Amino acid sequence: MALDKYQIAQRIAKELQDGYYVNLGIGIPTLVANYIPEGINVILQSENGLLGMGPFPEEGKEDADYINAGKQTITTLPGSAFFDSAMSFGMIRSGKVNLTVLGAMEVSEQGDIANWKIPGKMVKGMGGAMDLVASAKNIIVAMMHTNPKGESKLLPHCSLPLTGVQCVKKIVTDLAVIELTANGFKLLERAPGVSVEEIKNKTAGKLMVEGNVPEMQF
Amino acid sequence: MALDKYQIAQRIAKELQDGYYVNLGIGIPTLVANYIPEGINVILQSENGLLGMGPFPEEGKEDADYINAGKQTITTLPGSAFFDSAMSFGMIRSGKVNLTVLGAMEVSEQGDIANWKIPGKMVKGMGGAMDLVASAKNIIVAMMHTNPKGESKLLPHCSLPLTGVQCVKKIVTDLAVIELTANGFKLLERAPGVSVEEIKNKTAGKLMVEGNVPEMQF
Amino acid sequence: MNKVFTNADDAVKDISNGAVIMLGGFGLCGIPENCIAALVKKRVNNLTCISNNAGVDDFGIGLMLQQKQLKKMIASYVGENAEFERQLLSGELEVELIPQGTLATRCMAAGYGMPAIFTPAGVGTEVATGKEIRNFKGKDYLLEEAFDADFAIVKAWKGDTQGNLIYKATARNFNPMMAMAGKITIAEVEELVEPGELDPNQIHTPGIYVHRIFQGVNYEKRIEQRTVRQLAN
Amino acid sequence: MNKVFTNADDAVKDISNGAVIMLGGFGLCGIPENCIAALVKKRVNNLTCISNNAGVDDFGIGLMLQQKQLKKMIASYVGENAEFERQLLSGELEVELIPQGTLATRCMAAGYGMPAIFTPAGVGTEVATGKEIRNFKGKDYLLEEAFDADFAIVKAWKGDTQGNLIYKATARNFNPMMAMAGKITIAEVEELVEPGELDPNQIHTPGIYVHRIFQGVNYEKRIEQRTVRQLAN
C-alpha cells in the first residue's frame, strides 16, 4: 500500500544521523521533524535565520517575530541561534548543512530537480531552493511518485524549468526509496505491499532493479 | 616655525565636520582625536572592530579585550558598537568612513602613497592601510615634510613600494597644507613663519603656488 | 548630526517616483510597516522594490501593489499574493525572481563594498541566462552583481539615536544586509533609545550604516501562518 | 554528537605537520592562547599559519616562531616581532603579506561558500602582482580567492556545548570569520555553558560552524600597548 505523507516523512527520518544539521523544506519535509529517531540529536536550520528550530508554539504563545521558512510560527530550543539571511545562506553554500530535504515536481535520472515554476501557470519563485540544491552535500527529495494526473514525476529529463542540476541523491515517494546513480534511478526499497512492477510502471525514467528489493521498515 | 606633531594633528582636526565617521592611523593621526573642535560630533572607527572609540582608560582600568588598531588600550563611548573585521573593512570599502587620516613615507604628485615597506630594511606589512586608501573618499596624509635625512617626502613619483595609487586628497606636514590636484601639489597654507621658498625647496615634486599663501590658523 | 526623524512620513519624504528601494523582512516578519504605510499614503510610483517577498494582498508590499506603485519587483518568493500574480501575468509588473541566497548576498556585497559575488545557486537553470559562469576548483558559479539601491528601508527591534540597531529573533532576516546596502538607509524601530542604552557587544547593525531612524507606531506584526503545537500525526 | 573536548591538547591532537591553520586575534587581543600553547608543546611543524599578526617574540604565534614550527605565514602586519623579521630576511620563513581587509574577506568568503571576492585593496601595488584585475563601473578590483584552511582556531568569551560563541569587545576581530572558514573549527572559550544559557539573539558564531569546543585555562591576555589617559598635549 502506498505511503501517506506522514509515512514518507517517517521513512526519511531514518536517514538522519546524530549531529546532523538539517534543512527541511515546506510540505512533507517539514513533517520529518516529528519522527527524529530516539537517541540522536538533529539540529534544524531554517533558512530565514534560525538554527535549532523547536516545535510550534502552544496556543496563545505565538510570536510574530519567531517564524520558520514556511512563515509558520515556531519556537526555539536551548542552544538555538538567530542570524541574518546572508549568514544563513553562507552556511548553506559552505556545506555546513548536512542534509536538505525538499519537495519536487519532477526529478530526472541525472538528479536534476524542478520545483519552482510552471510556465504560464504558477509563478511563486524559487525562494531558497536553488541555493540549497546547489550547495547541500546530501539532498533527499520527498514527493509523490506521480502527479495528480497519474503521470510519473521521475523522468528521463525534467520538462519544467530546473531548480538545480545533478544534485538529488535520494528520492522517497509514496511507493519507493530510490537512489540516484551514474546509471540513473536505482530502486532501494518498496513501500509495504507495493510491487516492483508497479514502481517500474510509474517511473518514466530508467529504473535499475537489482536482486530482491526489500520492503521499507519503519 | 615648523609645526610639531601635535600642531599637525591640531591642523588636521580643523578638517573634521559634524557627523563624520573617521579612521585615524597610527602615530600623528591618532593625536587628531585630541583636537576635535567643540560643538561637532565625530565618531572614530578603529578597523579592528569598533565604532565610537573613546579615550584611553584611566590608570588601572585597562582591559586587554578593549584595544584600538594600534593595539593601545581604549574605552568605548555611549553609542559605541563592536563588530568583526569583515564588517569593519566592509564599511571601509563601501565608503561609509568619511575621512581617513594616515601617515606616509612618501606621497607623489599623482596622490600615490607609500607607507608600508622599505625593501631589504623594513618589513612590517600594510595592515589595513591598503584597504583604507583604496576605498576612503577623503584621505589626508599627516607626515613630516622631509625624512630624517632631510630629503623631501613629496615626490614626482614614489620610490618605495606603493600602498595605493591616486588616492591622497590632502597632505598636512610640519611646513604646509598641500592639496593634490590634477596638476600636482598645490600649496594651500604655510606653517606660521615658514616661507613659500622653504616649502618649495623641500618639495621635490612640482608645487603650484597661487597668489598669496596664508599662514595656518589654529 | 541628527539622524532622528519624527515619523515615517518625514523619513521617506524625499523618496520620489522611479526610486530603487530595498525593503527588509521575510514574509510579513520584520517588515518596515510604518514606512510602507507612508509610501502608500504618499502614492509615490514607478518604484523598483528589492525585497524577499511581495507581501500579501492586503499587507506589506501588497499594499503598494494594490495601488500599482511598483514598476519592478526583485524577489525570491512571491507565492502569497494574487494581485502580484495578476500584474505579473498581465505584464503590468516587471518581475525578477532570484534565489534567496543570491538576494541576500547581493545586498551584502553592496554593504561590504564588493562589486559582485560568485554563487553556485542557479547554475544550469534559467536564472543563469545571460550571466557569466566561472569555474573554481571544479565547480561552476554565477557572477552576480551587488545591488545598487537609492534607499534601504529596514525594521529593527531596538535602535539608538546614533543609528545602532538590534533585531529580534527571525525578524532579523534581510534587514542587516539591506541596512548596509542602501545609499540612504532608513530604520524604523519599535523602541528608540539614547546612545549607551544598547550593549555595544550586541549591536547587529552599527550606526554608521543608518542615516535616518524613527520610532514606529501601531505595529500590527501580522502572522502569515499561525501554527500551534499538536500531537505528531 | 559531542563537541566538547577536555582541553587544548585534546582539541589539537590531530593537527599534524604541514597543516594549514587559521588563528584568530588582532595583535595579542583575542588570540587562542591555550591552543597555541598546545601546538608549541606538541612541536608540530611545517605549518602554514593565517593570522592577522605574528604575535610578539615571546607570546602568541611568536612562541611557535621561536621553535621554527612555521613554514609559511600569511598576515597583514608583523611589525612587533624581531624573530619573525630575522626568519623572513634569512629566507627561513615564507611570508605572504596581504591587506587586512583582504585577509578578513578571504576568510569570510570561505565561510560563506564564495570561492573568491573582489576588492580594490592593493590595486596598483605589488600586492596585485600576478592577480586578475577586473573593472566594475569604472573602478579596478583584484580577484582574491577564498582561503582553504584545514583548521581554524578561535578564541571566544562565552560558548555553549553546541558550539555557539559570543566574543567580547574588540577581541572579536577575525575570530568570527575564521570560525566560519575552517574545515575543522576549534573554539576555546573563557566560559563554557550549557545550551540555553546564551541568548539566541546575541550569538556571534552559530554552533554549526564549530566542531570542537573547550573551556580554556590561565588566560594571560597580555596587553601589547598599555596606554592610559593623560591630558591632551
Side-chain angles (χ1 to χ4, degrees), chain B residues 79-111:
Chain B
S80 288
F82 294 109
F83 37 83
D84 64 41
S85 302
M87 182 180 270
S88 180
F89 285 92
M91 61 184 68
I92 288 166
R93 273 198 306 266
S94 66
K96 304 290 176 184
V97 174
N98 303 96
L99 173 64
T100 287
V101 183
L102 76 176
M105 300 192 289
E106 296 177 352
V107 178
S108 82
E109 286 169 18
Q110 295 78 39

Side-chain angles (χ1 to χ4, degrees), chain C residues 71-128:
Chain C
K71 180 182 71 176
K72 182 175 180 179
M73 180 82 216
I74 300 173
S76 91
Y77 189 80
V78 293
E80 285 94 4
N81 196 311
E83 173 63 14
F84 184 95
E85 203 153 12
R86 194 198 62 72
Q87 290 189 23
L88 164 56
L89 293 173
S90 72
E92 288 169 53
L93 182 67
E94 197 183 332
V95 176
E96 192 181 334
L97 291 171
I98 61 177
Q100 192 174 337
T102 302
L103 182 69
T105 315
R106 288 176 67 189
C107 293
M108 186 179 80
Y112 277 72
M114 304 188 294
I117 55 102
F118 294 102
T119 176
V123 169
T125 77
E126 63 181 55
V127 164

